[in-house]
């Protein structure tokens, strides 16, 4: 079994009172095979990838921990809140919605956010499928957010236990090699994808 799939199990109680064992492997197995290379990529940069607008505004960290204040999936944090002026989730600001000048959801934005890792640009988050990026790959924001939501449901290791996910030890070159065969624009995901994975 690949290292990224070796996870602890978590006990949950269903609505009818039954005890269910949910493991990280179960969650990852729900993700279609087509998207597994993206899962590996997002796990490798989890907590270390940074989302930046070309305007110079920091837009948060790509982090599956919804409790981290700077995570893009923390609904109460500055970068994950639908009300924050520096969140891609705010449909009314320049960084979010389908009309925001710097929004990854604007299919006409010429300046969508870029993910940086170790101070190097890795890829562009956008729904603008024909955007010229000077060689950077395009990755759909719905796909990225859906996968981070799925990763957030994987049980985290207990303190002083072995890690369950790949932690950021990959070099920029290794990640760029992983990105080469991926074609984010071909895997455009709609918001309904999240309901299939979760």
């Amino acid at each position: 079994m690949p290292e990224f799939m070796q996870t602890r199990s978590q006990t949950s109680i269903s609505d009818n009172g039954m005890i269910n064992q949910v493991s990280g492997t179960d969650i990852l197995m729900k993700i279609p095979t087509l998207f597994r290379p993206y899962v590996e990529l997002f796990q490798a940069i989890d907590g270390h990838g940074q989302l930046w607008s070309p305007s110079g505004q920091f837009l948060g960290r790509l982090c599956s921990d919804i409790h981290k204040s700077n995570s893009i999936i923390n609904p109460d944090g500055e970068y994950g809140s639908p009300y924050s002026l520096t969140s891609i989730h705010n449909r009314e600001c320049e960084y979010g919605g389908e009309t925001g000048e710097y929004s990854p959801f604007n299919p006409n934005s010429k300046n969508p956010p870029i993910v940086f890792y170790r101070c190097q640009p890795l890829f562009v988050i956008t729904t603008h499928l024909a955007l010229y990026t000077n060689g950077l790959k395009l990755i759909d924001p719905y796909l990225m957010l859906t996968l981070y939501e799925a990763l957030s449901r994987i049980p985290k290791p207990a303190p002083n236990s072995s890690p369950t996910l790949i932690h950021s030890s990959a070099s920029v070159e290794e990640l760029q090699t992983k990105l080469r065969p991926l074609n984010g624009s071909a895997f455009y995901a709609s918001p309904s994808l999240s309901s299939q994975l979760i």
Side-chain angles (χ1 to χ4, degrees), residues 116-155:
F116 282 79
Y117 174 77
R118 294 187 178 177
C119 300
Q120 298 292 316
L122 271 186
F123 49 88
V124 178
I125 300 296
T126 186
T127 55
H128 188 316
L129 302 180
L131 183 69
Y132 177 73
T133 62
N134 202 24
L136 291 178
K137 293 288 185 179
L138 304 175
I139 293 185
D140 183 82
Y142 296 110
L143 174 64
M144 176 189 72
L145 292 171
T146 299
L147 293 178
Y148 271 109
E149 293 279 338
L151 290 173
S152 75
R153 289 168 173 67
I154 295 175

Side-chain angles (χ1 to χ4, degrees), residues 28-90:
L28 289 173
M29 295 310 285
K30 287 184 179 181
I31 298 172
T33 305
L34 182 66
F35 299 112
R36 297 260 169 85
Y38 292 95
V39 172
E40 291 179 26
L41 172 68
F42 290 134
Q43 281 183 314
I45 64 173
D46 192 12
H48 299 279
Q50 297 182 6
L51 192 61
W52 285 88
S53 168
S55 71
Q57 176 64 51
F58 176 67
L59 298 174
R61 285 198 183 265
L62 277 64
C63 180
S64 64
D65 186 343
I66 64 168
H67 303 292
K68 295 286 186 183
S69 62
N70 59 3
S71 171
I72 61 168
I73 64 167
N74 178 347
D76 300 318
E78 181 177 353
Y79 306 108
S81 167
Y83 307 107
S84 171
L85 294 177
T86 54
S87 171
I88 63 172
H89 298 280
N90 182 343

Side-chain angles (χ1 to χ4, degrees), residues 22 24-33 36 196-198:
V22 180
T25 302
D26 294 336
I27 293 167
L28 289 173
M29 295 310 285
K30 287 184 179 181
I31 298 172
T33 305
R36 297 260 169 85
Q196 296 171 15
L197 298 181
I198 300 169

Side-chain angles (χ1 to χ4, degrees), residues 155-173:
K156 302 296 184 237
N160 300 323
S161 71
S162 61
T164 61
L165 300 176
I166 297 172
H167 288 287
S168 189
S169 61
S171 70
V172 172
E173 293 77 21

Side-chain angles (χ1 to χ4, degrees), residues 55 85 90-96 99-103:
S55 71
L85 294 177
N90 182 343
R91 295 175 189 220
E92 305 299 320
C93 76
E94 62 187 332
Y95 304 109
T99 59
E101 181 180 358
Y102 302 107
S103 173

